[in-house]
Amino acid sequence: MISRYLAGLLLGLTSAASAADSSSCYNIADADARTYCLALAHNDPGRCYAIQDSALRSRCLAEIR
């Protein structure tokens, strides 16, 4: 249930993070969503490993690689 919420939230954030700088990611309260946003903004797959939700971690790794 939370994963679907995060997925919807992150779809909106992905375009915002790539269009702007990483500073917009720091406004995200959820730690996993914030880490995901930063990983995408920096194009850094190493940051994905800090995500606790395994589904979101896998998605992060798939999108960056």
Side-chain angles (χ1 to χ4, degrees), residues 27-38:
N27 294 328
I28 301 170
D30 181 73
D32 280 349
R34 181 175 50 251
T35 303
Y36 175 85
C37 180
L38 288 167

Side-chain angles (χ1 to χ4, degrees), residues 22-62:
S22 62
S23 65
S24 60
C25 298
Y26 291 103
N27 294 328
I28 301 170
D30 181 73
D32 280 349
R34 181 175 50 251
T35 303
Y36 175 85
C37 180
L38 288 167
L40 290 179
H42 291 283
N43 197 28
D44 180 9
R47 292 178 187 246
C48 297
Y49 292 105
I51 298 173
Q52 298 299 311
D53 183 336
S54 62
L56 187 58
R57 184 182 327 112
S58 296
R59 178 180 173 179
C60 180
L61 289 167

